[in-house]
Amino acid sequence: MPIAISPVVVAAAAAEELDNIFRDGFGVLGAGEGEYLKSGEPNSISGKVSQAAGRSACRVYATGNTGVSGRAALKYEKVCRPYLDSIYPPTGVGIENPFQGGQCPGVRYLLTYRGTLTDPATDTGPVQTIMRGPLSLDTSLLPGDVCNDGLTYKRWTLRGADNAATGLWAGCTASIEIISVVALDGGDGGGCGNPAPVVREPEPRPDPTPPPFRFNPGPDIDVDVDVDVDVDGRIIIDIGTGPITIDPFGPDGGGGGSGGGGGNDPVGGPGSPGDGGDTGEGGDESGQAEDGEELVGVLVEILSAPEGANRFFNNSELVYRGAYYVAMGYPGRLGLDMSGGTAETIQFFHAQQRGLTDYRVRANVGFNLRVTPYYRILEP
């Protein structure tokens, strides 16, 4: 005798279970981190539906056609990779650190890299370029970056201080290896952390069982599961009750995270330089992030100082006292950064917290400064 079930109840329960799986329930049923969608054995109808929907969402992600953000891809990789590797040959998709170091503001770095192409076979051999930090590797594409035959165009751009950018390598069958990043000018340049990880997008792959698909969770029960994934990583499932949207990453970007002004992606990254300017002697320079961005910090360079400026004389570097005043915060609510009382010729000041938008740098009498703000995009 067929078992009567309420599709609405099953869909709601499956949505909640799937949300937990992607948000923070990696150890569901004791299957271990990332293993539930691969080999878990749910014993409830809602569990079977949620597992099937999760597997389908992973396959949609693996096609490479969703364009999910790097923040969402971090979660998808952790939850989906064991299952995807069990149905596809390993695709090389994952999260990698492009290089180590290179983050000290104003320090000149020598970057050595090698670019290769498989078609036609090309190896550039070691290539070197010099740029002031903080350095980051941009993999954004440009208009016209397209390939035939289903290949994915790849482009790498090195970015540094003062809006500097250098194209390193690009192509349809291209790959790049960063061999080393070495500080010049006699400084070690290695104590300022590492760049944000880069999420390698999955290569496009056909889904062997594209949604919607049917499965049998028990005697005399057939369920159609239709799954889609939008560009922000939200999962939409429908088992005949109408679409239900699951936001497994939450409005704050991290499954009920800190709520500290948005953009709480796991790493954050060094950001990119914005439009700044010079203060002039004794003047000031200020600015504000665009909508959808946050202030990472400001890079301040002393262009000129008055004769006899107050500084530390027991140091070979020029370290000034009270050369300028740095303030960051929100419109009309700027907080003074007390660390600005001591400054080298080139100094980076980090925003005190996530989500700040505004800055102001005020030069002391006789000092002329160049100020460059750094911003990053707030992930939805």
Side-chain angles (χ1 to χ4, degrees), residues 153-173:
Y153 197 94
K154 306 175 186 71
R155 175 179 295 277
W156 293 270
T157 302
L158 181 68
R159 298 192 181 276
D162 300 323
N163 296 308
T166 298
L168 300 183
W169 195 237
C172 292
T173 60

Side-chain angles (χ1 to χ4, degrees), residues 244-374:
I244 295 177
T245 299
I246 303 166
D247 189 358
F249 315 117
D252 59 12
S258 64
N264 295 299
D265 48 299
V267 178
S272 301
D275 295 330
D278 297 352
T279 62
E281 289 192 7
D284 60 62
E285 203 282 325
S286 60
Q288 184 178 41
E290 299 286 344
D291 289 343
E293 293 184 337
E294 67 176 341
L295 179 68
V296 177
V298 291
L299 179 67
V300 183
E301 180 178 0
I302 298 177
L303 300 179
S304 62
E307 184 177 353
N310 191 4
R311 66 184 183 89
F312 293 91
F313 290 95
N314 59 348
N315 193 296
S316 60
E317 299 292 331
L318 289 177
V319 182
Y320 292 94
R321 302 173 186 256
Y324 49 81
Y325 307 95
V326 177
M328 291 176 279
Y330 306 102
R333 292 182 289 164
L334 300 181
L336 192 64
D337 190 323
M338 301 306 294
S339 62
T342 302
E344 295 184 343
T345 305
I346 299 177
Q347 186 83 44
F348 190 86
F349 296 88
H350 294 270
Q352 301 94 330
Q353 65 183 56
R354 299 294 304 273
L356 300 185
T357 56
D358 290 47
Y359 74 91
R360 183 192 67 231
V361 178
R362 182 164 291 160
N364 217 333
V365 176
F367 285 90
N368 182 23
L369 316 173
R370 175 162 297 157
V371 181
T372 304
Y374 278 71

Side-chain angles (χ1 to χ4, degrees), residues 6-361:
S6 168
V8 175
V9 172
V10 171
E16 181 178 359
E17 188 162 349
L18 187 59
D19 182 61
N20 289 334
I21 292 170
F22 274 84
R23 184 185 294 269
D24 56 11
F26 302 118
V28 173
L29 299 182
E33 183 175 287
E35 291 290 325
Y36 174 66
L37 294 184
K38 172 188 173 184
S39 56
E41 297 181 358
N43 53 19
S44 67
I45 294 175
S46 63
K48 292 177 184 293
V49 172
S50 71
Q51 186 187 63
R55 287 175 171 178
S56 183
C58 289
R59 295 198 305 275
V60 172
Y61 161 74
T63 65
N65 297 321
T66 57
V68 299
S69 67
R71 172 181 55 86
L74 290 170
K75 286 290 186 72
Y76 272 100
E77 281 299 320
K78 190 170 187 179
V79 176
C80 294
R81 184 50 46 200
Y83 168 68
L84 292 176
D85 285 347
S86 73
I87 61 173
Y88 302 138
T91 62
V93 179
I95 303 158
E96 63 181 9
N97 292 314
F99 52 85
Q100 300 294 311
Q103 300 307 293
C104 292
V107 171
R108 291 194 313 154
Y109 289 96
L110 175 67
L111 183 138
T112 305
Y113 68 96
R114 175 185 288 108
T116 57
L117 289 172
T118 57
D119 186 16
T122 304
D123 185 336
T124 64
V127 180
Q128 295 183 321
T129 185
I130 296 175
M131 187 173 291
R132 290 190 181 274
L135 305 182
S136 62
L137 203 60
D138 185 354
T139 56
S140 302
L141 300 183
L142 299 177
D145 286 347
V146 295
C147 298
N148 298 322
D149 303 323
L151 298 175
T152 301
Y153 197 94
K154 306 175 186 71
R155 175 179 295 277
W156 293 270
T157 302
L158 181 68
R159 298 192 181 276
D162 300 323
N163 296 308
T166 298
L168 300 183
W169 195 237
C172 292
T173 60
S175 61
I176 192 171
E177 175 192 4
I178 305 299
I179 299 173
S180 65
V181 177
V182 179
L184 303 178
D185 304 325
D188 62 19
C192 303
N194 300 315
V198 174
V199 177
R200 295 194 306 266
E201 294 296 333
E203 295 290 336
R205 284 184 170 274
D207 186 346
T209 54
F213 63 95
R214 296 185 67 83
F215 77 105
N216 189 331
D220 302 312
I221 302 173
D222 286 327
V223 180
D224 285 316
V225 179
D226 190 359
V227 179
D228 196 8
V229 180
D230 71 12
V231 295
D232 294 322
R234 289 184 290 261
I235 303 169
I236 300 94
I237 67 172
D238 189 349
I239 64 170
T241 62
I244 295 177
T245 299
I246 303 166
D247 189 358
F249 315 117
D252 59 12
S258 64
N264 295 299
D265 48 299
V267 178
S272 301
D275 295 330
D278 297 352
T279 62
E281 289 192 7
D284 60 62
E285 203 282 325
S286 60
Q288 184 178 41
E290 299 286 344
D291 289 343
E293 293 184 337
E294 67 176 341
L295 179 68
V296 177
V298 291
L299 179 67
V300 183
E301 180 178 0
I302 298 177
L303 300 179
S304 62
E307 184 177 353
N310 191 4
R311 66 184 183 89
F312 293 91
F313 290 95
N314 59 348
N315 193 296
S316 60
E317 299 292 331
L318 289 177
V319 182
Y320 292 94
R321 302 173 186 256
Y324 49 81
Y325 307 95
V326 177
M328 291 176 279
Y330 306 102
R333 292 182 289 164
L334 300 181
L336 192 64
D337 190 323
M338 301 306 294
S339 62
T342 302
E344 295 184 343
T345 305
I346 299 177
Q347 186 83 44
F348 190 86
F349 296 88
H350 294 270
Q352 301 94 330
Q353 65 183 56
R354 299 294 304 273
L356 300 185
T357 56
D358 290 47
Y359 74 91
R360 183 192 67 231
V361 178

